[in-house]
């Protein structure tokens, strides 16, 4: 700052020699001692236009007696400068030693504009800069805003950005502020390399991290944009991955980033020191708490002797043990894991030490950053509340639960000292993110044809943690709508209530001659029994009916009936007069199978069922698993009212395991059984199988089938099925990881058998028959109506098997899969389909 009065050294010395009063310094100015006797009201102000005189005087605080001393003047000068309201502040000496404060006010910002910004909207930039319209102009603040805008662009991957502020002067001491932005091209990650990785290939490690290399489809995603925070987080992901797989000494030494001006992108290199791989040599439990049996914690350990040392398993064991100790009344118990390495045997002796921790209580839980989500939605994820004993395991569990809600970009729980030494305050810092989704998706499969879906969903409805979704589907062969609602905490208990209303229409196609219409409602309750075990109970009620063209449902084998009227075109087939027989005469113009026509005649059928699903899940990644087990066991009992009754049981187990060179093995076993519980089983209640059991077969292509050569030969389904699959999934090492392509080779085997649906229909005089009955079935060449008048079907239990190859693409358009399978063994009347494709997208 510049100040008005400057005295040279010679004059100052002369004044001192002759006893003249000494002038005391104020910043770079000096004020005579006579000013020390002045009051605040005697200060004169010059140059102010908007700021009131009294406002400026208020920054000078008088001392005892209301007089201004040297310190008060210094403090007032500094305070005026710090307000940012002035370009310049000077303190001069007026006539008689009077203090004169001369100010030059900063201009007022009339408007703030942004030019050249196409990728980031004006509204976002306006919210980020500190300079505001109708606020005071400050050059320091403008410089800070310029750097802030550049940083926002760099975070979005544009490191070549240039931001130039322009100040346009206007009348009345006003200015317009314009930020001109040259966005530049997007700066991506051109290469990701790993140094020191021997146990895992670079291809495998690229699957662990969130940063990806740029490729032709990068414009559909943002994971290839260079983000230093994401790269730093990737270091921890790599470290955690190694610690899960036995490398207790691993260190990710550095994540080096270098900008390549030729490629106009960054090269990222992770330096890793793996160390040795360890297994668990022994497990011990120790306690310093009186009367506490440490061996009782053995059931809560997820660590097994002989298994790979897994830090996550140790951490989960600590959490479970500490929570269990708290339940037993040891609220301050702390479980501390320890491990002694045997460097020669490459084993770790794990010890869980259970000690009495400090007696600390939670004074308050402060929530910060939840601008939309209600407080109670966050607090209910805690198993502790204010006043409870501080338990770090329960706090860590709450943080993990909050992250899994997917309501927030970031969640961090920290502590700060409370009002006393035995009190802590929990600080929960969050950043909200968008939880609504609107998607238009489309797809095609060889089963359902072209398909489109429009859906709207909200994961945090009204900030109350509710989930709601509405979807409409329209396709060649499948149409319908669905409404879903989930309350995750029913009556404040950790029980999820779900409500589903749906309507589906499946139209006839080349695989089935009939269509179905289903309207249903299903309430359900979900329980989390353990982190890897969940239970769902449900009630389902739905109305179902069959649709069929009249030409496929006009058969009546009673010759004397007026309904018996075979098509004239088939009245005489190869010299055989069908109209005079009591055989399959009316089938000559084509008819749907007996169970289909009988279901049509029954009209709308109501099914009321109770059911449950028990799920065990230890997969490492639900979307792209490479290790772990997933088992689903489902049972549904129909007969709680309604028109049908049965017990249906289904089990499906998938086991993934990594093999060598990034090859993942998959073993799948599945089976199902349908039991009659009273009324006769409908054909629609039977299992229908095809490529979902053994690839290489058409939809509904496996199992019992109507053999009438003059009918539609519909698949009838079965009451029992089994299936087994072996699959190897492998990457294409010559392609970049980011392309998302994998190959698969597999072998399938399975069977569907034991049809127990309708075989007779007295209304049409169709008498029960089987393939091996004594009646003579009809034939086409030579033409013969035969003597069989009921359902002629194949109920054999043949083993179907196939081998094939597949192409799996985790594309930006959604998951796509192509399969080509060749059946090795099949039933005589099965239908095959060697090529199969399915997939979809959201946009």
């Amino acid at each position: 700052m510049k100040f008005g009065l400057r005295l040279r050294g010679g004059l100052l010395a002369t004044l001192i020699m002759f006893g003249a009063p000494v002038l005391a310094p104020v910043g770079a100015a000096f004020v005579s001692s006579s000013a020390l006797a002045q009051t605040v009201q005697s200060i004169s102000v010059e140059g102010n236009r908007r700021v009131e005189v009294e406002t400026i005087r208020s920054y000078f605080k008088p001392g005892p007696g209301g007089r201004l001393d040297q310190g008060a003047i210094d403090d007032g000068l500094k305070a005026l400068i710090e307000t940012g309201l002035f370009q310049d502040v000077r303190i001069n000496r007026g006539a008689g030693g009077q203090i004169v404060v001369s100010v030059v006010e900063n201009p007022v910002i009339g408007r703030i504009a942004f030019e050249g910004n196409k990728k980031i909207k004006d509204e976002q930039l306006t919210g980020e800069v500190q300079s505001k319209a109708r606020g005071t102009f400050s050059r320091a603040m403008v410089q800070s805003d310029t750097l802030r805008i550049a940083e926002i662009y760099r975070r979005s991957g544009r490191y070549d950005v240039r931001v130039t502020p322009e100040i346009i002067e206007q009348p009345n001491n006003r200015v317009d502020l314009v930020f001109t932005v040259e966005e530049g091209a997007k700066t991506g990650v051109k290469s990701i390399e790993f140094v020191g990785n021997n146990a895992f290939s670079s291809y495998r490690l690229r699957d662990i991290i969130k940063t990806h290399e740029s490729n032709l489809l990068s414009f559909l995603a943002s994971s290839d944009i260079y983000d230093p925070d994401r790269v730093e987080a990737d270091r921890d992901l790599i470290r955690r991955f190694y610690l899960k797989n036995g490398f207790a000494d691993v260190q990710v030494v550095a994540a080096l980033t270098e900008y390549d001006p030729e490629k106009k992108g960054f090269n990222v290199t992770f330096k890793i020191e793996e160390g040795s791989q360890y297994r668990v040599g022994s497990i011990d439990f120790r306690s310093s708490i009186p009367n506490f049996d440490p061996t009782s914690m053995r059931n809560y350990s997820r660590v097994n002797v002989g298994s790979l040392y897994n830090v996550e398993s140790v951490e989960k064991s600590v959490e479970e043990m500490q929570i269990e100790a708290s339940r037993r009344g040891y609220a301050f118990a702390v479980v501390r894991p320890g491990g002694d390495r045997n460097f020669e045997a490459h084993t770790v002796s794990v010890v869980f030490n259970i000690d009495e921790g400090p007696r600390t209580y939670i004074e308050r839980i402060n929530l910060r950053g939840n601008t939309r989500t209600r407080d109670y939605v966050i607090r209910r994820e805690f198993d502790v509340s204010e006043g409870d004993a501080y338990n770090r395991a329960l706090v860590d569990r709450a943080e993990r639960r909050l992250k899994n809600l997917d309501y927030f970009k970031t969640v961090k729980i920290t502590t700060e000292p409370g009002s006393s030494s035995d009190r802590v305050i929990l600080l929960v810092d969050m950043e909200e993110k968008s939880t609504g989704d609107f998607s238009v998706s489309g797809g095609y499969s060889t089963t359902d044809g072209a398909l489109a879906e429009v859906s709207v969903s909200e994961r945090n409805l009204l900030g109350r943690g509710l989930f709601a979704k509405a979807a409409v589907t329209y396709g060649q062969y499948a149409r319908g709508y669905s409404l879903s609602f989930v309350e995750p905490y029913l009556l404040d208990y950790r029980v999820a209530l779900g409500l589903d209303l749906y309507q589906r229409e499946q139209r006839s196609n080349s695989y089935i001659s009939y269509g179905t219409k289903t309207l249903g409602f299903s309430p359900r309750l979900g329980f989390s029994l353990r982190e890897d075990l969940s239970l769902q109970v449900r009630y389902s009620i739905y109305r179902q009916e069959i649709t069929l063209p009249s030409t496929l449902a006009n058969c009546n084998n009673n010759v004397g009936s007026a309904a018996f009227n075979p098509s004239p075109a088939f009245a005489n087939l190869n010299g055989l007069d069908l109209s005079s027989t009591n055989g399959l005469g009316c089938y000559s113009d084509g008819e749907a199978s007996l169970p289909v026509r009988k279901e049509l005649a029954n009209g709308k059928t109501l099914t009321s069922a109770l059911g449950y699903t028990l799920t065990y899940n230890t997969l490492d990644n639900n979307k792209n698993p490479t290790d772990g087990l997933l088992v689903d066991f489902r049972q549904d009992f129909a007969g709680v009212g309604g028109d049908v009754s049965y017990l249906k049981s289904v089990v499906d187990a998938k086991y993934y395991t990594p093999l060598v060179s990034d090859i993942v093995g998959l073993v799948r076993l599945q089976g199902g059984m349908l039991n009659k519980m009273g009324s006769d089983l409908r054909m629609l209640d039977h299992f229908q199988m095809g490529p979902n059991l053994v690839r290489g077969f058409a939809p509904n292509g496996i199992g019992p089938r109507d053999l009438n050569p003059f009918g539609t030969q519909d698949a009838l389904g079965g009451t029992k099925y089994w299936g087994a699959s072996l699959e190897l999934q492998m990457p294409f090492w010559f392609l970049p990881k980011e392309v998302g392509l994998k190959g698969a080779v597999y072998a399938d085997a399975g069977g569907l058998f034991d049809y127990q649906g309708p075989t007779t229909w007295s209304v049409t005089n169709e008498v029960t028959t089987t393939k091996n009955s004594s009646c003579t079935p009809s034939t086409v060449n030579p033409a013969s109506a035969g003597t069989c008048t009921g359902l002629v079907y194949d109920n054999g239990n043949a083993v179907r098997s196939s081998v094939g190859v597949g192409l799996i693409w985790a594309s930006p358009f959604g998951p796509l899969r192509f399969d080509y399978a060749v059946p090795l063994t099949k039933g005589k009347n099965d239908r095959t389909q060697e090529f199969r494709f399915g997939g979809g997208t959201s946009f």
Side-chain angles (χ1 to χ4, degrees):
M1 291 296 173
K2 297 179 181 179
F3 300 91
L5 183 59
R6 301 179 184 274
L7 300 179
R8 298 184 182 275
L11 176 60
L12 179 61
T14 303
L15 293 173
I16 292 175
M17 288 177 61
F18 289 96
V22 178
L23 300 181
V26 181
F30 296 87
V31 180
S32 68
S33 59
S34 63
L36 300 178
Q38 297 186 27
T39 64
V40 171
Q41 295 302 319
S42 66
I43 296 176
S44 175
V45 179
E46 296 178 349
N48 59 310
R49 303 180 64 180
R50 297 188 314 276
V51 184
E52 298 290 338
V53 171
E54 292 302 322
T55 301
I56 295 175
R57 286 175 176 171
S58 67
Y59 286 92
F60 295 89
K61 307 298 182 183
R67 301 292 181 178
L68 289 173
D69 58 18
Q70 187 65 51
I73 295 173
D74 286 345
D75 292 341
L77 174 64
K78 293 176 183 179
L80 285 173
I81 295 172
E82 290 173 355
T83 62
L85 297 173
F86 308 102
Q87 290 184 19
D88 194 7
V89 179
R90 299 184 183 186
I91 296 181
N92 302 315
R93 185 180 63 183
Q98 181 185 23
I99 296 177
V100 178
V101 180
S102 299
V103 296
V104 179
E105 293 181 346
N106 274 324
V108 173
I109 301 175
R111 67 184 184 94
I112 298 177
F114 303 92
E115 295 181 356
N117 55 310
K118 298 179 180 178
K119 302 300 180 180
I120 300 179
K121 295 181 179 180
D122 287 0
E123 292 79 6
Q124 182 178 348
L125 295 177
T126 301
E128 294 288 347
V129 298
Q130 292 180 308
S131 299
K132 303 296 181 184
R134 295 182 297 279
T136 303
F137 171 80
S138 168
R139 292 185 181 275
M141 190 180 296
V142 170
Q143 184 63 27
S144 175
D145 290 339
T146 302
L147 297 175
R148 177 59 182 159
I149 295 171
E151 180 62 21
I152 294 172
Y153 271 92
R154 290 190 179 100
R155 291 292 179 187
S156 65
R158 297 181 182 274
Y159 273 75
D160 290 335
V161 63
R162 299 288 184 272
V163 182
T164 305
E166 183 180 359
I167 303 166
I168 304 174
E169 295 186 1
Q170 301 291 349
N172 300 321
N173 198 29
R174 303 176 72 87
V175 296
D176 289 341
L177 180 58
V178 179
F179 292 96
T180 302
V181 181
E182 297 177 16
E183 295 180 323
K186 186 173 74 171
T187 311
V189 176
K190 298 302 180 182
S191 70
I192 300 176
E193 301 296 336
F194 300 88
V195 177
N197 55 310
N198 298 314
F200 301 100
S201 69
S202 297
Y203 193 96
R204 180 72 180 92
L205 294 179
R206 288 191 185 98
D207 200 31
I208 302 300
I209 62 178
K210 301 297 184 182
T211 303
H212 296 151
E213 294 179 356
S214 299
N215 57 74
L216 294 175
L217 299 175
S218 293
F219 68 93
L220 296 170
S222 60
S223 57
D224 70 311
I225 296 173
Y226 174 69
D227 185 341
D229 291 340
R230 183 161 52 197
V231 171
E232 191 61 29
D234 287 339
R235 288 183 63 185
D236 187 60
L237 290 175
I238 296 170
R239 176 178 168 274
R240 298 287 298 180
F241 174 73
Y242 271 92
L243 289 174
K244 283 173 54 179
N245 288 277
F247 293 88
D249 300 323
V250 66
Q251 290 185 11
V252 184
V253 180
L256 304 178
T257 58
E258 181 182 6
Y259 182 75
D260 189 336
E262 293 183 0
K263 296 181 180 179
K264 294 185 178 181
F266 283 88
N267 300 322
V268 181
T269 303
F270 294 96
K271 289 189 174 182
I272 303 170
E273 293 181 2
E274 293 181 332
S276 300
Q277 190 177 41
Y278 293 85
R279 291 188 176 272
V280 179
S282 63
I283 305 174
D284 193 13
F285 302 85
R286 301 172 186 172
S287 173
S288 62
I289 302 176
N291 302 322
F292 188 94
D293 180 13
T295 59
S296 64
M297 295 288 102
R298 189 175 298 275
N299 292 334
Y300 299 93
S301 172
R302 299 192 181 189
V303 183
N304 301 312
V305 175
S307 63
L308 285 176
Y309 178 73
N310 186 332
V311 168
E312 284 194 2
S313 297
V314 174
E315 291 173 348
K316 290 178 180 178
S317 300
V318 168
E319 182 180 291
E320 294 292 339
M321 293 178 192
Q322 197 158 319
I323 292 172
E324 178 60 24
S326 179
R327 288 173 182 161
R328 296 182 184 183
Y330 299 91
F332 300 99
V334 177
V335 181
R336 297 184 176 92
D340 296 327
R341 296 176 177 82
N342 185 325
F343 297 102
E344 295 180 356
H346 298 301
T347 60
V348 177
S349 298
V350 180
V351 180
F352 293 100
N353 298 293
I354 307 166
D355 304 313
E356 186 76 24
R359 292 183 171 270
T360 306
Y361 297 88
I362 300 173
E363 183 174 332
R364 291 195 311 275
I365 301 177
N366 293 341
L367 309 181
R368 302 188 301 199
N370 56 316
T371 56
R372 181 167 176 266
T373 305
R374 308 292 179 94
D375 281 7
Y376 74 86
V377 174
I378 299 167
R379 293 182 184 275
R380 69 190 183 187
E381 299 298 331
F382 286 81
D383 291 327
V384 291
S385 57
E386 295 165 343
D388 289 348
Y390 174 71
N391 189 317
R392 187 67 221 181
L394 293 176
V395 172
D396 291 340
R397 172 180 282 187
E399 182 174 336
R400 188 170 60 251
R401 286 173 176 171
L402 288 173
K403 290 178 179 178
N404 291 337
L405 289 177
D406 201 25
Y407 301 162
F408 311 101
K409 290 181 180 179
T410 57
V411 177
K412 185 66 177 177
I413 301 180
T414 56
T415 61
E416 67 176 23
S419 58
S420 61
S421 59
D422 63 344
R423 297 287 189 272
V424 296
I425 298 173
L426 296 184
L427 302 178
V428 186
D429 291 295
M430 300 152 286
E431 183 181 355
E432 299 262 14
K433 71 176 184 180
S434 175
T435 55
D437 291 304
F438 172 78
S439 68
V440 180
S441 60
Y444 178 84
S445 74
T446 47
T447 305
D448 297 324
L451 192 70
E453 180 183 89
V454 178
S455 66
V456 179
S457 64
E458 172 58 62
R459 300 190 305 276
N460 188 14
L461 186 63
L462 302 176
R464 300 176 182 271
L466 307 174
F467 173 84
K469 181 178 180 180
V472 177
T473 302
Y474 191 88
Q476 279 181 280
Y477 307 121
R479 300 173 183 177
Y481 64 85
S482 64
L483 300 173
S484 299
F485 174 82
V486 177
E487 163 57 85
Y489 278 80
L490 180 62
L491 301 177
D492 291 330
Y493 290 97
R494 202 177 295 277
V495 178
L497 168 67
L499 303 173
D500 298 300
L501 175 67
Y502 57 90
Q503 187 273 333
R504 292 194 297 265
E505 178 184 0
Q506 181 68 48
R507 315 189 93 189
S508 60
N509 52 49
S510 57
Y511 305 109
I512 54 175
S513 65
Y514 55 91
T516 57
K517 291 183 178 179
T518 306
L519 176 64
F521 172 71
S522 177
R524 48 193 163 85
L525 295 174
F527 306 85
S528 180
L529 305 181
R530 284 187 343 200
E531 196 166 303
D532 55 3
L533 188 65
S534 61
L535 172 68
Q536 182 193 91
V537 295
R538 60 184 170 272
Y539 170 72
S540 301
I541 182 169
Y542 59 90
R543 186 188 68 195
Q544 194 172 40
E545 63 177 315
I546 276 184
T547 60
L548 196 65
S550 60
T551 55
L552 296 181
N554 61 356
C555 180
N556 190 326
N557 273 334
N558 291 313
V559 178
S561 170
F564 179 71
N565 184 23
S567 170
F570 295 93
N572 190 290
L573 180 63
N574 290 343
L576 179 66
D577 185 6
L578 299 179
S579 62
S580 62
T581 69
N582 194 29
L584 299 178
C586 65
Y587 276 88
S588 302
D589 62 347
E591 292 295 323
S593 299
L594 182 151
V596 176
R597 290 181 285 111
K598 189 172 183 180
E599 189 67 39
L600 177 69
N602 291 336
K604 298 175 181 178
T605 303
L606 185 67
T607 301
S608 176
L610 288 172
Y612 70 92
T613 299
L614 191 63
T615 302
Y616 177 73
N617 186 350
T618 63
L619 297 181
D620 59 344
N621 187 314
N622 288 330
K623 291 185 177 180
N624 186 25
T626 60
D627 192 14
L629 178 65
L630 175 63
V631 180
D632 275 333
F633 179 73
R634 304 190 302 274
Q635 280 195 312
D636 289 282
F637 171 69
V640 189
D643 303 320
V644 298
S645 60
Y646 59 77
L647 176 64
K648 184 177 286 189
S649 307
V650 173
V651 63
D652 189 357
K654 298 177 183 178
Y655 176 66
Y656 295 84
T657 182
L659 300 176
V660 295
S661 300
D662 304 318
I663 297 176
V664 176
L666 166 62
V667 179
R668 182 180 184 184
L669 301 175
Q670 53 182 321
M673 179 177 294
L674 177 66
N675 298 101
K676 179 179 177 181
M677 300 298 293
S679 61
D680 292 336
L681 294 174
R682 301 184 307 157
M683 183 201 72
L684 292 180
D685 297 328
H686 284 60
F687 298 110
Q688 296 285 355
M689 291 293 164
N692 54 332
L693 186 68
V694 181
R695 284 163 285 195
F697 289 83
N700 296 357
I702 293 175
R705 181 176 300 276
D706 179 7
L707 299 183
N708 177 19
F710 295 99
T712 54
Q713 297 189 335
D714 293 295
L716 304 177
T719 59
K720 302 176 182 67
Y721 77 90
W722 65 274
S725 298
L726 295 175
E727 181 170 313
L728 298 179
Q729 297 179 358
M730 63 207 71
F732 294 109
W733 293 275
F734 54 88
L735 292 176
K737 177 74 176 179
E738 290 69 27
V739 174
L741 279 173
K742 292 192 298 184
V745 294
Y746 51 82
D748 296 340
L752 174 67
F753 55 96
D754 196 14
Y755 171 74
Q756 296 183 19
T759 58
T760 64
W761 196 11
S762 59
V763 174
T764 58
N765 193 32
E766 294 175 84
V767 183
T768 181
T769 58
T770 64
K771 180 181 178 182
N772 299 316
S773 66
S774 58
C775 66
T776 303
S778 58
T779 60
V780 177
N781 191 12
S784 170
T787 60
C788 297
T789 60
L791 178 66
V792 181
Y793 65 101
D794 180 359
N795 202 26
N797 185 15
V799 175
R800 284 82 174 179
S801 63
S802 68
V803 293
V805 295
L807 182 65
I808 307 168
W809 186 21
S811 77
F813 307 103
L816 303 175
R817 176 154 183 155
F818 306 82
D819 281 297
Y820 181 79
V822 178
L824 300 179
T825 59
K826 62 179 181 177
K828 181 179 179 181
N829 300 288
D830 287 344
R831 305 289 189 265
T832 61
Q833 182 189 73
E834 296 181 347
F835 176 75
R836 187 166 184 259
F837 161 75
T841 182
S842 295
F843 47 88

